[in-house]
């Protein structure tokens, strides 16, 4: 049997080690055998179904005052005939709970919820279902005015895989946001505007179980005051399909549910306006209003400023990232100074590089409609407009062999304008007790324009100049993304027997043009040329996918799931580049090397069989999918040719969840997946937006095969207030899509077509054998009662092994990262609030191709925040942050102190009017530094940031009591 190896694949996996015909025969036989096995198993299950009636006990828990559902209430059911037999559960996002497969006899049910009086009842079950209806709990009469009581409050409770934090156990000042509150909780951090919980990024924030501004977690937390929060729940949120069937597909997202205080401030918000001047005028205006009444939630926000405060999510960056490839393809979208941050993260929230003027507005709505309250609706609209100017200095050392190593230096002055509209809805229609329909449409539109003035040069280590470009690049792109999923769910009378059908569509469109005017010099500047071009692009993508899933009970505690999932994606890419005609001054001379028309189709068919077994202590799911994929490509211009490749994959998945009594939980997830190359990676056209750093696609790319494994352990000791979380994950990719970079030390003709001039380079994506990434996070939290504070300790380890090729030689870039830190936050009172934090990162960089480029670098961040209401409404707050960089390039090592301070006074009886004078960057030391490590280079950048300024701000906070209906 003949083995064939893919290009640059040294260790072929199961799916690519045999020729096409043999692989196809093997796969077809496996699928045929598997189909027969599925049919036999399903038939046996159907034949073995008993007709004994199943006893179900269900109900709903709510607040006795306002009727709002209580999410996460604990329910314990104990048999009175045998007290050793008991089971427990928690209420869902609607306050509902359910027990199934109960034996006939008497039971005692106990309902518990933090801050409420427990309820006990005796119930009797027989062979018919029993509905307990609404169980209403009353709040405990004890008020928590004495600070000493707070020390003994329950801080965290572990409920299966949900961590629930008691907001009353963490003190913040009156002006604090929910973000200020949650970052005091053990295991929750804010890193560069990204909220992380137990080492994982929080992808979605819910308010009382309802979506809030789509997937923008930071936006939700920054615009909700901390005083309305009762509890914070952190959990793994499955999609609608998995939630319905109970089969965790391993693709859950880390989510946070903010449970608001029942009956508290159903109308609240604030408005503010500020103006200042120091070297230049600065302003900031904005506000938010929230109306929470019964099931209805309406929130509106708006802001306009030129002090770099932003509320963006990654959805708002369609044209901003990837629109151009300055500096060799890394989007120069901006960095906040943290080493290793991705470019898109810097448009989330907070201090940005450069100078930005931002205008944004949004509205979020959720409610329950219908006479039967059977239609749940959530929707939001968000608008962004940002103008940014920025300058960047870059130093990049390439990892080619020591005798040909080169350094690229660049200065880049950028001006960009980005506008975005984003709309999303979710409508859940409960037709009856057996049928549900869910529709989730989304639409994003973006318009982006930018100008880049680049001065870049390549040199040998001894300073010999190889090449230089002085380029003026302008682009104007627009794009939209539209998607919609329609999911139908049906429950049969037989318990756990379900069927669901989902149909989804996605449309992506991006179009626009760019102009390039550059002077390029080569070979010690003796050879120079002018470039004057215009390029037009039109990229379109259509996708339709479906899913049919059937579940069937198997045994006393098991379930079987069978599913079929087809998907088809059509891509069209069209790029035309024209040189200026000196005679007519028009862009009419087509450049065939920089023009290309390319179509690409990607089709998959996947069948899956899974088995789940569940008990009170553990939940195990195992599954196996067989997938057939067909990737085709058609080049229309400048050459006509077609490519077609088929792939056959087996994709196993497994999840394991174990509950150790009531204090701890252990969870393991393993999943596999495939990733098809994008249209930009496949399109064989040269991008010369930086004439020294060219890039092109590769129509011969194959899909990658990914293995992901994650383990997480959580422990809480409610009596002592101690928490411990451990998280580790590994991602191993076969057929990894990496980069091959050709750096020309002399004029080189590539493929008898492309002349690569001395000192320039060409980057192309290729398949490489494998890559490996490991990430771990550990945190331990405990109260320090003597100083009325909380201490959170954290540590972690990361590893990134990324392969690449430089001048046809393989390099494996290995980066080891060790980090640790602590956060000490006060729990004294609302008048005195402080936070002390420290975090250190030590990184070890090793490369197999050029070991003299190996280096170790260190970064630490120490910060202190202090807020003090010291006398009759006077408020003083300050923050001091020290950032230290060592081991980076010469001129980029920094020791920066960023000091901000403000003094304010609160007017009116309820102190709702606040006047505050603030100073940003008192020492005028703010700087933006970052390090970026890839498989082909190590790069340090220094960017422009907003420095010292004064701002006088007036803020009015309003609240309306539910009971009185009066403002206070």
């Amino acid at each position: 049997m003949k083995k064939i190896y893919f290009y640059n694949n040294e260790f072929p996996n199961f799916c690519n080690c045999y020729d096409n015909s043999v692989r196809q025969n093997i796969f077809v036989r496996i699928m045929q055998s598997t189909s027969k096995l599925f049919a036999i198993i399903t038939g046996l299950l159907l034949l073995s179904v008993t007709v004994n009636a199943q006893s179900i006990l269900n109900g709903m828990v709510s607040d006795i005052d306002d009727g709002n559902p209580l999410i996460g209430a604990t329910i314990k059911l104990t048999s009175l005939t045998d007290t050793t037999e008991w089971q427990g559960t928690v209420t869902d996002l609607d306050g509902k709970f359910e027990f199934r497969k109960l034996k006939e006899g008497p039971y005692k049910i106990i309902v518990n919820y933090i801050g409420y009086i427990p309820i006990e009842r005796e119930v009797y079950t027989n062979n018919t279902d029993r509905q307990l209806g609404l169980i209403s709990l009353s709040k405990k009469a004890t008020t928590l005015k004495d600070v000493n009581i707070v020390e003994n409050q329950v801080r965290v409770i572990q409920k299966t895989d949900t961590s629930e934090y008691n907001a009353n156990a963490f003190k913040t000042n009156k002006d604090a946001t929910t973000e200020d509150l949650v970052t005091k909780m053990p295991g929750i951090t804010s890193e560069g505007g990204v909220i992380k919980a137990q080492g994982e990024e929080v992808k979605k924030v819910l308010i009382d179980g309802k979506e809030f501004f789509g997937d923008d977690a930071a936006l939700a937390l920054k615009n909700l005051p901390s005083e309305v929060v009762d509890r914070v729940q952190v959990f793994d949120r499955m999609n609608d399909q998995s939630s319905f069937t109970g089969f965790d597909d391993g693709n859950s997202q880390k989510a946070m549910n903010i449970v608001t205080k029942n009956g508290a401030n159903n109308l609240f918000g604030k408005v503010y306006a500020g103006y200042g001047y120091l070297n230049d005028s600065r302003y900031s205006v904005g506000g938010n209003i929230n109306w929470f009444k019964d099931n209805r939630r309406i929130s509106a926000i708006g802001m306009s400023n030129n002090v770099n405060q932003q509320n963006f999510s990654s959805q708002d960056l369609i044209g901003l990232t990837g629109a151009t490839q300055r500096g060799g393809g890394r989007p120069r979208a901006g960095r906040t100074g943290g080493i290793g941050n991705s470019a898109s993260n810097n448009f989330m929230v907070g201090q940005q590089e450069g100078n930005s003027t931002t205008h944004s507005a949004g509205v979020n709505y959720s409610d329950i409609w219908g006479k039967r309250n059977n239609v749940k609706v959530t929707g939001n609209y968000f608008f962004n407009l940002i103008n940014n100017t920025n300058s960047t200095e870059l130093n990049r050392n390439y990892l080619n062999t020591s005798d040909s190593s080169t350094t690229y230096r660049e200065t880049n002055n950028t001006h960009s304008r980005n506008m975005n509209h984003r709309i999303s809805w979710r409508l859940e229609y409960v037709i009856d007790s057996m049928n549900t329909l869910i529709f989730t449409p989304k639409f994003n539109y973006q318009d982006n324009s930018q100008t880049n003035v680049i001065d870049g040069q390549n040199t040998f280590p001894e300073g010999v100049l190889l090449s230089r470009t002085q380029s003026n690049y302008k682009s104007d792109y627009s794009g939209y993304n539209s998607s919609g999923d329609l999911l139908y769910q049906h429950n049969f009378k037989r318990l756990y027997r379900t069927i669901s059908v989902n149909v989804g569509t996605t449309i992506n469109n991006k179009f626009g043009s760019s102009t390039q005017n550059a002077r390029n010099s080569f070979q010690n500047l003796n050879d120079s040329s002018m470039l004057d071009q215009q390029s037009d692009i039109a990229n379109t993508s259509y996708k339709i996918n479906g899913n049919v899933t059937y579940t069937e009970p198997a045994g006393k505690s098991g379930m079987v799931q069978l599913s079929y999932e087809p998907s088809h994606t059509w891509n069209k890419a069209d790029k035309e580049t024209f040189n200026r005609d000196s005679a007519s001054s028009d862009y009419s001379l087509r450049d065939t090397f920089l023009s290309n028309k390319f179509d690409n189709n990607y089709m998959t068919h996947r069948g899956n069989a899974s088995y789940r077994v569940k008990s009170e202590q553990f939940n195990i799911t195992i599954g196996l999918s067989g997938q057939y994929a067909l990737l085709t490509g058609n080049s229309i211009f400048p050459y006509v040719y077609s490519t077609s490749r088929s792939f056959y994959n087996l994709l196993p998945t497994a999840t394991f969840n174990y509950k150790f009594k009531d204090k701890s939980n252990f969870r393991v997830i393993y999943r596999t997946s495939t990733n098809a190359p994008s249209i930009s990676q496949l399109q064989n056209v040269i991008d010369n937006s930086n004439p020294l750093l060219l890039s092109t696609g590769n129509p011969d790319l194959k899909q990658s095969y990914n293995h992901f494994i994650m383990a997480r352990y959580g422990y809480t000791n409610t009596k002592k207030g101690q928490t411990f979380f451990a998280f580790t994950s590994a991602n191993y990719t076969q057929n990894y899509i990496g980069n091959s970079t050709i750096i020309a030390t002399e004029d080189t003709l590539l493929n008898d077509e492309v002349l690569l001039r001395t000192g320039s380079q060409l980057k192309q994506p290729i398949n490489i054998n494998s890559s490996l990434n490991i990430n771990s996070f550990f945190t331990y939290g405990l109260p320090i009662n003597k100083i009325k504070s909380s201490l959170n300790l954290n540590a972690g380890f990361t590893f990134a092994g990324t392969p690449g090729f430089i001048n046809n030689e393989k390099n494996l870039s290995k980066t080891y990262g060790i980090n640790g830190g602590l956060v000490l936050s006060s729990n004294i009172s609302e008048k005195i609030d402080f936070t002390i934090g420290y975090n250190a990162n030590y990184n070890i960089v090793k490369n197999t191709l050029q070991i003299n480029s190996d280096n170790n670098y260190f970064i630490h961040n120490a910060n202190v925040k202090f807020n003090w209401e010291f006398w009759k409404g006077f408020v003083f707050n300050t923050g001091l942050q020290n950032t230290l960089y060592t081991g980076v390039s010469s001129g980029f090592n920094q020791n920066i102190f960023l000091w901000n301070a403000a003094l304010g006074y609160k007017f009116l009886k309820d102190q709702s009017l606040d006047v505050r004078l603030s100073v940003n960057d008192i020492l005028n030391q703010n700087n933006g530094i970052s390090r970026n490590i890839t498989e082909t280079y190590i790069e340090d950048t220094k960017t422009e940031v907003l420095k010292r300024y004064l701002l006088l701000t007036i803020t009015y906070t309003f609240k309306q009591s539910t009971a009185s209906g009066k403002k206070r």
Side-chain angles (χ1 to χ4, degrees):
M1 190 172 294
K2 180 183 177 183
K3 290 189 177 182
I4 58 172
Y5 294 89
F6 288 159
Y7 178 59
N8 284 330
N9 277 22
E10 297 177 1
F11 304 103
N13 60 28
F14 170 84
C15 302
N16 63 6
C17 57
Y18 303 107
D19 60 41
N20 240 9
S21 60
V22 175
R23 288 204 316 272
Q24 184 171 359
N25 290 334
I26 293 174
F27 188 82
V28 169
R29 291 175 184 177
I30 292 175
M31 291 302 295
Q32 289 175 345
S33 301
T34 307
S35 300
K36 293 178 181 179
L37 181 60
F38 290 167
I40 293 172
I41 293 175
T42 305
L44 292 174
L45 290 173
L46 293 174
L47 289 174
S48 62
V49 171
T50 61
V51 295
N52 293 334
Q54 301 288 330
S55 179
I56 302 175
L57 179 69
N58 58 31
M60 178 178 176
V61 181
S62 67
D63 181 276
I64 196 171
D65 295 325
D66 58 17
N68 285 335
L70 298 181
I71 306 167
T74 58
I75 319 293
K76 183 177 181 180
L77 188 68
T78 306
S79 172
L80 293 180
T81 57
D82 184 0
T83 56
T84 62
E85 292 186 6
W86 65 274
Q87 52 183 304
T89 188
V90 295
T91 54
D92 61 17
L93 297 178
D94 297 316
K96 297 178 181 179
F97 67 90
E98 186 175 82
F99 294 99
R100 294 175 176 261
K101 298 184 179 181
L102 297 178
K103 298 178 181 179
E104 183 177 357
Y107 291 85
K108 180 173 72 174
I109 187 170
I110 304 175
V111 183
N112 265 296
Y113 193 74
I114 295 176
Y116 286 75
I117 301 173
I119 282 183
E120 295 186 11
R121 288 186 183 179
E122 290 189 7
V123 296
Y124 187 88
T125 65
N126 48 32
N127 289 334
T128 59
D129 296 343
R130 177 77 183 274
Q131 295 183 351
L132 297 179
L134 192 63
I135 301 176
S136 300
L137 301 186
S138 302
K139 294 179 182 177
K140 292 181 179 178
T142 305
T143 58
L144 302 173
K145 294 182 178 180
D146 193 341
V147 176
N148 290 326
I149 297 178
V150 176
E151 295 178 349
N152 298 321
Q153 281 188 281
V154 175
R155 302 168 76 234
V156 189
I157 294 178
Q158 190 70 27
K159 299 178 177 179
T160 314
D161 60 347
T162 299
S163 301
E164 182 173 283
Y165 300 84
N166 180 16
N168 295 319
F170 302 91
K171 284 293 181 182
T172 58
N173 64 78
K174 293 181 180 179
D175 304 315
T177 65
T178 300
E179 182 184 31
D180 299 323
L181 172 65
V182 299
T183 51
K184 286 194 168 198
M185 298 173 176
I188 301 178
T189 59
S190 177
E191 302 174 18
V194 177
I195 301 298
K196 291 186 176 181
Q198 299 152 20
E200 299 177 79
E201 181 181 345
V202 175
K203 297 289 188 179
K204 189 177 288 291
V205 171
L206 309 175
I207 307 296
D208 293 324
K210 301 176 177 64
E211 290 192 5
F212 193 75
F213 283 103
D215 296 328
D216 202 332
L219 181 63
L221 298 177
K222 279 190 170 295
N223 286 280
L224 191 69
S226 63
E227 62 180 345
V228 305
V229 180
D230 181 42
R231 286 166 298 119
V232 176
Q233 297 167 334
V234 177
F235 60 101
D236 294 312
R237 189 173 192 260
M238 296 188 292
N239 57 36
D240 291 321
Q241 180 83 350
S242 297
S243 298
F244 174 67
T245 63
F247 279 82
D248 188 351
D249 59 4
N251 293 311
S252 57
Q253 294 181 332
K254 183 65 69 177
M256 182 180 292
N257 182 42
I258 308 297
V259 182
T260 59
K261 294 177 180 177
N262 294 302
N265 303 330
N266 66 346
L267 179 63
F268 57 91
K270 68 177 181 180
V271 292
Y272 62 88
Y275 180 80
Y277 189 90
L278 190 63
N279 300 323
D280 199 1
S281 60
R282 299 292 168 187
Y283 79 95
S284 178
V285 297
N288 65 74
I289 181 171
N290 303 272
W291 181 36
F292 290 6
K293 183 178 180 181
D294 300 327
N295 293 309
R296 182 171 298 166
R297 302 284 192 271
I298 301 176
S299 298
I301 62 171
M303 64 187 300
S304 177
N305 68 81
N306 64 351
V307 293
N308 288 1
Q309 295 300 315
Q310 301 162 21
N311 283 300
F312 295 155
S313 78
S314 57
Q315 301 178 58
D316 304 320
L317 305 176
I318 298 172
L320 210 57
T321 57
T324 64
Q325 293 190 330
R326 304 175 305 276
R330 186 178 69 87
R332 195 79 69 228
R335 295 179 185 270
T336 57
I339 289 180
N341 291 338
S342 67
S344 62
N345 288 343
N346 301 285
F347 278 84
M348 296 296 187
V349 176
Q351 189 76 11
Q352 303 296 315
E353 63 182 26
N355 290 284
S356 298
T357 299
T358 304
H359 313 282
S360 65
V363 61
N364 188 83
Y365 173 83
S366 65
D367 200 358
I368 298 180
W369 295 347
K371 294 182 180 180
R372 296 185 291 120
N373 289 329
N374 60 333
V375 181
K376 297 180 182 179
V377 181
T378 60
N380 63 78
Y381 165 75
F382 195 66
F383 166 79
N384 281 319
L385 174 61
I386 177 174
N387 287 282
N388 176 269
T389 58
N390 182 39
S391 63
T392 304
E393 296 179 25
L394 177 149
N395 188 83
R396 178 184 298 171
N397 294 309
Y398 283 92
L399 303 172
N400 42 328
T401 56
S402 57
D403 59 346
S404 62
S405 61
T406 57
T407 299
Y408 175 74
R409 294 182 177 89
E410 177 188 285
T411 60
N412 187 346
N413 295 307
T414 305
H415 173 76
S416 64
R417 177 187 180 275
N418 190 75
M419 179 183 68
N420 176 269
H421 298 269
R422 169 160 47 97
I423 304 173
S424 65
W425 282 90
R426 185 180 190 276
L427 296 92
E428 181 178 348
Y429 173 40
V430 181
I431 303 172
D432 51 40
S433 60
M434 296 293 186
N435 302 280
T436 302
L437 202 61
I438 301 175
F439 181 47
T440 52
K442 295 180 180 180
F443 180 80
N444 301 322
Y445 173 80
Q446 185 176 35
D447 182 82
N448 174 265
S449 61
Q450 52 187 334
T451 301
N452 302 280
V453 179
I454 300 173
D455 189 342
Q457 50 187 292
N458 278 307
T459 62
F460 279 129
E462 59 271 17
V464 177
L465 190 61
L466 286 172
S467 58
R468 181 178 182 180
T469 183
Q470 294 170 296
S471 170
N472 191 324
Y473 181 87
K474 297 180 180 180
S475 64
D476 190 356
Y477 293 108
S478 298
Y480 66 85
N481 174 287
S482 177
S483 65
D485 283 272
L486 184 63
L487 173 63
Y488 170 70
Q489 300 170 334
H490 175 74
N491 285 293
F492 292 93
K493 293 183 179 180
R494 168 70 171 166
L495 191 64
Y496 297 135
R497 181 183 292 168
T498 69
I499 189 169
S500 54
V501 180
N502 182 78
V503 178
T505 59
T506 302
I507 301 175
N508 283 288
N509 226 329
K510 181 179 177 180
F511 44 88
S513 63
S514 64
T515 59
Q516 172 85 317
N517 192 299
R519 175 181 290 276
N520 307 310
S521 303
F522 305 95
Q523 296 175 341
N524 294 321
L525 310 184
N526 293 324
D527 181 13
S528 64
S529 63
M530 291 296 297
L531 189 66
D532 192 357
Q533 295 179 332
Q534 177 177 298
S535 298
D536 301 313
I537 70 164
N539 295 340
T540 304
S541 174
Y542 303 93
K543 179 181 179 180
I544 183 169
N545 59 281
N547 182 288
V548 179
T549 300
Y550 177 79
T551 64
E552 181 73 22
K556 293 184 178 180
S557 56
M559 289 178 64
V560 171
Q561 175 180 272
L562 303 175
S563 67
Y564 167 64
E565 183 178 355
S567 175
H568 200 159
T569 303
W570 298 266
N571 295 304
K572 291 180 178 294
D574 185 351
K575 180 178 182 180
E576 292 187 291
T577 301
F578 298 90
N579 293 307
R580 184 189 290 271
D581 187 343
S582 58
S584 63
S585 297
D586 295 330
Y587 292 103
S588 56
L589 304 177
R590 188 195 301 270
D591 191 323
T592 57
F593 291 113
L594 302 179
S595 300
N596 181 267
K597 291 185 179 182
F598 185 81
D599 295 346
N600 160 251
N601 292 334
Y602 184 66
M603 179 182 63
T604 63
H605 293 272
R606 177 185 295 189
N608 171 268
S610 300
Y611 175 75
R612 189 193 77 174
V613 60
K614 183 179 181 181
S615 71
E616 293 301 318
Q617 284 190 302
F618 67 86
N619 187 342
I620 301 175
T621 302
I622 56 174
L624 180 65
S625 296
Q627 177 178 285
Y628 166 75
L630 178 64
L631 179 64
T632 61
N634 298 293
S635 176
I636 302 171
F637 181 86
Y639 305 107
V640 178
Y641 65 88
S642 299
T643 61
S644 179
R645 289 178 300 283
S646 58
F647 307 94
Y648 305 89
N649 300 105
L650 294 178
L651 303 170
T653 60
T655 62
F656 173 72
N657 197 80
Y658 189 84
K659 180 181 179 182
F660 298 89
K661 297 183 179 179
D662 295 326
K663 291 185 178 180
S664 59
N665 177 263
F666 179 66
R667 180 177 174 85
V668 178
I669 294 175
Y670 169 71
R671 67 171 180 261
T672 54
S673 61
T674 58
N675 184 34
S678 66
I679 186 66
S680 61
Q681 292 174 318
L682 291 167
Q683 189 178 16
N684 189 20
V685 60
I686 294 176
D687 185 336
N688 69 333
S689 53
N690 185 321
L692 299 186
L693 308 175
L694 308 177
S695 63
T696 185
N698 180 3
D700 294 324
L701 283 178
K702 304 171 180 65
Q703 65 176 7
S704 60
Y705 187 94
N706 308 307
H707 303 260
F708 174 81
I709 186 168
M710 181 272 288
R712 183 174 64 240
Y713 174 76
Y715 168 83
T716 60
N717 188 322
T718 54
K719 292 182 179 180
K720 296 183 179 181
Q722 298 174 343
T723 61
F724 175 75
F725 295 104
F727 166 84
T728 185
S729 67
N731 194 73
Y732 177 73
T733 302
Q734 298 170 285
N735 261 355
Y736 171 73
I737 300 177
N739 290 311
S740 175
T741 302
I742 302 296
I743 301 175
T745 57
E746 60 182 11
D747 288 357
T748 305
L749 187 64
L750 301 177
N751 298 327
D752 296 326
E753 293 180 340
V754 179
L755 178 62
L756 196 61
R757 301 299 303 271
T758 303
S760 58
Q761 62 178 259
L762 178 68
K763 183 179 70 174
Q764 183 181 41
I766 62 170
N767 290 109
I768 310 177
N769 55 299
S770 63
S771 71
L772 175 65
N773 289 276
I774 300 173
N775 180 41
S776 64
F777 177 80
F778 308 91
T779 181
Y780 174 67
L782 72 162
I784 309 296
N785 294 329
K786 290 184 178 181
I787 58 173
K788 299 177 182 177
S789 301
S790 299
L791 177 64
N792 298 322
L793 304 172
N794 62 78
F797 170 80
T798 60
F799 170 78
T802 308
F805 279 80
I806 304 178
N807 289 343
N808 296 318
E809 294 189 61
K810 184 179 178 181
N811 178 64
L812 179 60
S813 173
K814 294 181 288 187
T815 303
Y816 306 85
I818 303 171
N819 62 79
L822 60 86
V823 176
L824 179 67
S825 57
S826 68
N827 219 10
I828 300 173
S829 71
E830 294 180 344
K831 295 183 180 295
I832 298 179
D833 182 29
F834 68 83
T835 301
I836 301 172
Y838 179 80
N839 191 68
N841 290 271
Y842 185 73
N843 299 271
I844 303 170
V845 180
K846 293 184 176 296
N847 295 278
T848 58
L849 189 59
Q850 187 185 136
I851 59 175
N852 59 0
S853 294
D854 296 351
N855 81 316
N856 305 334
Y857 65 92
F858 175 78
I859 175 174
H860 89 182
N861 187 289
N863 62 82
V864 177
K865 295 180 182 179
F866 179 71
N867 189 86
W868 181 25
E869 187 175 337
F870 57 92
W871 183 63
K872 295 183 178 180
F874 281 95
V875 178
F876 172 74
N877 56 57
T878 185
L880 179 63
Q881 176 178 294
N882 171 241
T883 304
L884 172 70
Y885 303 84
T886 62
V888 293
S889 301
S890 175
F892 290 82
N893 292 304
Q894 297 284 336
N895 189 9
I896 301 168
F897 286 88
L898 181 60
W899 181 20
N900 303 326
L903 179 65
Y905 180 74
K906 294 180 177 294
F907 292 86
L908 306 181
K909 291 183 179 180
D910 57 359
Q911 297 187 336
S912 58
L913 184 64
D914 183 296
V915 179
R916 190 164 304 196
L917 178 65
S918 59
V919 185
N920 179 78
D921 190 17
I922 295 174
L923 303 178
N924 208 33
Q925 292 187 4
N926 194 16
N927 214 332
I929 299 172
S930 64
R931 166 158 284 196
N932 185 32
I933 299 173
T934 73
E935 69 278 9
T936 54
Y937 58 78
I938 299 175
E939 167 186 275
D940 295 315
T941 61
K942 184 187 298 182
T943 58
E944 177 187 351
V945 293
L946 186 63
K947 291 196 173 184
R948 183 167 53 200
Y949 66 89
L950 297 168
L951 202 68
L952 180 66
T953 306
I954 300 175
T955 303
Y956 176 68
T957 303
F958 55 92
K959 311 167 188 175
Q960 183 172 311
S961 170
T962 303
S964 64
K966 298 179 180 180
K967 291 184 178 181
R968 55 183 178 87

